[in-house]
Amino acid sequence: MVTENDLVRHLGEAQVSVELETEDMTLNIGPQHPSTHGVLRLVARVDGERAFDVKPVLGYMHRGYEKLSEVRTYPQITALINRIDWVSGYANEIPFIVAAEKLMGVEVPERAQYIRLILTEMARIASHFMFMASYPQELGALTPIMFALRERERVLDLIEGVTGGRFHPNFNRIGGVKPNAGSGPTTKKTPQDLPAGFLAETRDAMERVLVSCDDIEDLVAGNEIILARTKGIGILPPEVAAAYGMSGPSLRASGVNFDLRKAESYLPYDQVDFDVVVAETGDCWDRWWVRLQEIRESVKIVQQAVDQIPPSGPLQAKVPKVIKVPKGEVYVRAENPKGEMGYYIVSDGGAGPYRLKIRSASFSNLSILPWILEGALMPDIIAIMGSLDFVLGDVDR
Amino acid sequence: MTSSPSDTEAAAHPLQSFADHVAEAVGGTAEIQFDTIKLRVPADQWADALTTARDDLDLVFFSWLSAIDWANDVEVGDTLKEGVDERIELLCTVGDLTEGRRVTFSTDLSNDKPSVSSLVEVYAGANWHEREAAEMFGIVFKGHPNLDHLYLLDSFIGNPLRKSYPLLSREVKPWPGSVDVEAMPEKPSTENPGA
């Protein structure tokens, strides 16, 4: 006897063999603020379950930093650029400060350079952990966020201990660094330095980061749903990635062995030994995998830097009290957690730049959306967008 | 880490041969400032020069495109110390993905109605960068598929990164931080020890 339940089951298994003529629908996604990515709106033409002509609508977070920089002095600008990519605020400062130092011809003391190196890599670990937390969550796996955010907090605590700021350190000075929460008062005899025990705590934290990486890898790589939703999804060929200016881990996931930490010399990366992580396929899974491996490489860099840092020495080169940058133009770029971040400074010899162009990684990385989302299934839109790891503050500037 | 101006003036700059090579292939004049190669090309060869850079010089990575408004009268910020030819200078940086070489291409556009051919066909990534430059500087990119505003509202009038465009928050209230720029006194004043 055929029951009603059997009929329903049978209907569910029926394959639709005819192409139905359906009317296209315009679907508006966002604008919303899912806490980390920022406010982005997509307008897509939807045909059934597939999206076409995806148009990102930007500007909800545009703060006009390039214009504001024209009326600020160089030391004031670091406070602004902290807020571009707030997930890795510390790393934003480096290319700008190095660019200004290049124009001024200032030699930064070695100890200060190592502190910059340690904190930059910690910012990378924190940023990649944010991705390790949010990406599986967007795909429905809620456990990795617990591991990732716990370790990220440990790293951010260390950054906060040195700089006084968790997200917006504003820590670099032209010619060096200026610890905020150091040990003791600032006098000529005992200048502020790293907090006591910072290096030992850093070593300890790095060990825990590695353990957490293993935990996350077990949780995510062993999750068949995540594998099914990311492997072979959103494949990005290297030529397309390069033409769109895609940089950072997303570019290396497409098989391009290029890392500005090796190609440019803005921090003493030549003093430490680390590998550039490259994947092959360029799908969502590879973009996740590259970032996980990069955390491990960053741990390697931090561990070596902690061993190699000069035990004492000045943290600040001699610079005039009133910073004036000589006339000239310079472009300095750095490998930020999200990709190439650079600053083109046009100086007229004044206290502030005549023009400051901010090249942010997420802006170019996001501009590939119309290409990569063309014809994607609706659920894959989330998987693909999440895998690009952008921050809207870095897009809108 | 840092290079002094004298380094860049020396003939044996490590980037000099590459800069000459690019200048020869593309046509134009190259100068090196602080490890940044800037190649000036005429505006009518803009797209051709970048096509050559991509195809013949292997500069396949599109980094950024933007502009500088060289103006003698400025509404905000410091006035230039020496007068300049008023113009819009368009900049575009492209690089390779092997050696880490990069070149900043530059061309001068008229201040009045700046217009140049679009690079979207050469580097797909130029799309958004050109839209930003269009709304911020009023540059028309010929052949661009869609020059709508990128950040600004559709109804926004003006080109905010032009030097003639005032910073409205400054019009309402002067910046209190400007006092920080002045020189510190040599010694604390003894006349008013309590201050």
Side-chain angles (χ1 to χ4, degrees):
Chain A
M1 197 181 93
V2 180
T3 64
E4 201 172 321
N5 267 353
D6 286 344
L7 276 177
V8 171
R9 188 174 53 83
H10 190 66
L11 265 181
E13 284 170 2
Q15 298 277 325
V16 180
S17 58
V18 282
E19 282 287 320
L20 290 178
E21 282 291 323
T22 52
E23 212 168 293
D24 288 352
M25 189 177 79
T26 304
L27 183 69
N28 187 58
I29 307 169
Q32 52 177 313
H33 194 305
S35 75
T36 56
H37 294 318
V39 190
L40 172 69
R41 180 177 155 220
L42 298 180
V43 180
R45 183 170 64 78
V46 181
D47 180 6
E49 272 294 291
R50 292 192 182 272
F52 298 91
D53 304 335
V54 178
K55 288 193 185 71
V57 182
L58 309 179
Y60 292 97
M61 296 209 58
H62 186 242
R63 293 149 292 178
Y65 283 165
E66 292 181 12
K67 183 80 171 176
L68 292 177
S69 302
E70 290 174 8
V71 294
R72 274 167 174 74
T73 64
Y74 289 92
Q76 288 169 342
I77 289 171
T78 53
L80 286 183
I81 59 183
N82 266 283
R83 286 152 176 82
I84 294 174
D85 168 10
W86 55 76
V87 179
S88 57
Y90 183 80
N92 294 337
E93 296 177 20
I94 295 294
F96 174 75
I97 286 288
V98 173
E101 284 163 354
K102 252 192 181 185
L103 282 172
M104 292 179 71
V106 175
E107 194 77 43
V108 181
E110 199 186 357
R111 187 167 158 83
Q113 291 202 21
Y114 268 99
I115 293 176
R116 285 180 180 179
L117 177 71
I118 293 171
L119 293 177
T120 305
E121 289 309 311
M122 281 189 173
R124 189 183 320 277
I125 294 171
S127 169
H128 282 359
F129 264 138
M130 192 69 227
F131 174 79
M132 290 297 142
S134 66
Y135 189 50
Q137 192 202 23
E138 282 161 14
L139 298 177
L142 296 181
T143 317
I145 191 172
M146 308 295 171
F147 291 85
L149 288 190
R150 187 185 63 195
E151 293 316 311
R152 170 171 173 266
E153 211 52 46
R154 211 184 294 278
V155 172
L156 286 179
D157 280 350
L158 285 167
I159 294 179
E160 189 180 356
V162 181
T163 67
R166 198 168 149 266
F167 267 30
H168 306 307
N170 198 16
F171 175 67
N172 286 291
R173 302 290 181 270
I174 288 174
V177 295
K178 171 97 171 62
N180 240 345
S183 44
T186 314
T187 61
K188 271 204 166 152
K189 265 188 180 166
T190 57
Q192 277 185 337
D193 206 311
L194 292 172
F198 170 77
L199 296 179
E201 275 179 46
T202 303
R203 278 198 193 93
D204 183 44
M206 290 304 120
E207 291 300 326
R208 287 159 182 266
V209 164
L210 285 181
V211 173
S212 198
C213 280
D214 295 343
D215 289 342
I216 291 171
E217 186 160 20
D218 287 348
L219 279 170
V220 176
N223 185 325
E224 282 189 27
I225 299 173
I226 288 190
L227 293 179
R229 289 200 59 185
T230 54
K231 284 216 166 177
I233 304 294
I235 292 177
L236 184 57
E239 320 80 60
V240 178
Y244 274 95
M246 172 80 80
S247 53
S250 302
L251 179 69
R252 290 189 283 276
S254 294
V256 180
N257 187 345
F258 186 71
D259 192 319
L260 291 173
R261 289 175 287 179
K262 299 272 191 195
E264 302 267 345
S265 59
Y266 58 98
L267 283 178
Y269 281 110
D270 52 342
Q271 306 290 318
V272 289
D273 175 43
F274 68 101
D275 296 326
V276 178
V277 183
V278 183
E280 281 170 11
T281 330
D283 56 6
C284 293
W285 173 256
D286 281 351
R287 289 193 276 276
W288 176 87
W289 183 84
V290 164
R291 288 189 174 87
L292 181 72
Q293 303 306 321
E294 283 199 356
I295 296 180
R296 292 178 168 142
E297 293 302 318
S298 291
V299 167
K300 257 164 74 179
I301 296 175
V302 173
Q303 285 173 334
Q304 292 172 60
V306 165
D307 289 339
Q308 293 172 14
I309 185 170
S312 62
L315 296 183
Q316 175 75 42
K318 279 215 164 84
V319 288
K321 250 181 194 160
V322 180
I323 300 277
K324 293 219 166 161
V325 172
K327 191 173 176 172
E329 296 180 19
V330 69
Y331 179 60
V332 170
R333 56 182 184 168
E335 184 73 37
N336 266 33
K338 299 195 166 45
E340 173 185 336
M341 169 152 231
Y343 297 87
Y344 194 88
I345 298 181
V346 181
S347 174
D348 186 45
Y354 180 75
R355 166 101 174 91
L356 176 71
K357 161 68 190 167
I358 304 169
R359 195 277 182 202
S360 61
S362 299
F363 180 68
S364 293
N365 289 1
L366 196 70
S367 74
I368 207 161
L369 276 188
W371 187 91
I372 202 170
L373 293 182
E374 182 71 14
L377 288 168
M378 293 302 287
D380 289 348
I381 291 182
I382 306 299
I384 293 168
M385 274 175 60
S387 74
L388 294 176
D389 189 25
F390 55 86
V391 162
L392 259 292
D394 202 25
V395 177
D396 285 357
R397 303 193 301 283
Chain B
M1 279 299 296
T2 52
S3 59
S4 61
S6 61
D7 285 349
T8 56
E9 282 160 19
H13 193 284
L15 291 171
Q16 190 66 51
S17 61
F18 178 63
D20 293 342
H21 176 58
V22 178
E24 197 184 332
V26 174
T29 51
E31 67 175 288
I32 303 176
Q33 253 192 65
F34 304 99
D35 305 332
T36 300
I37 301 174
K38 188 164 167 183
L39 195 87
R40 294 180 183 278
V41 293
D44 55 352
Q45 294 171 21
W46 180 246
D48 292 341
L50 268 300
T51 310
T52 310
R54 181 195 65 180
D55 294 341
D56 300 345
L57 298 167
D58 203 27
L59 300 171
V60 293
F61 176 75
F62 178 83
S63 184
W64 55 272
L65 177 145
S66 194
I68 307 168
D69 179 14
W70 292 104
N72 291 317
D73 287 333
V74 299
E75 279 287 334
V76 287
D78 297 333
T79 316
L80 286 167
K81 292 190 174 60
E82 298 160 22
V84 286
D85 295 340
E86 296 210 332
R87 64 192 193 276
I88 299 283
E89 183 181 354
L90 187 65
L91 298 171
C92 174
T93 297
V94 291
D96 70 8
L97 290 175
T98 46
E99 310 282 315
R101 286 167 170 162
R102 59 186 155 83
V103 180
T104 301
F105 286 79
S106 152
T107 191
D108 288 337
L109 308 176
S110 85
N111 207 2
D112 188 21
K113 280 191 178 133
S115 144
V116 71
S117 33
S118 166
L119 296 180
V120 173
E121 293 295 317
V122 190
Y123 296 99
N127 190 321
W128 284 15
H129 289 259
E130 286 183 350
R131 276 174 73 187
E132 188 190 4
E135 66 179 0
M136 293 295 170
F137 292 93
I139 304 170
V140 175
F141 291 94
K142 288 173 284 189
H144 192 289
N146 164 29
L147 270 185
D148 288 351
H149 281 174
L150 182 72
Y151 291 137
L152 305 172
L153 292 175
D154 291 344
S155 54
F156 194 96
I157 297 171
N159 306 113
L161 278 180
R162 287 279 190 122
K163 288 285 179 180
S164 58
Y165 194 90
L167 188 60
L168 292 178
S169 55
R170 284 297 156 84
E171 303 288 310
V172 179
K173 187 171 182 286
W175 174 240
S178 58
V179 294
D180 294 345
V181 184
E182 287 165 20
M184 302 279 283
E186 285 295 312
K187 278 180 189 167
S189 166
T190 49
E191 287 172 15
N192 190 3

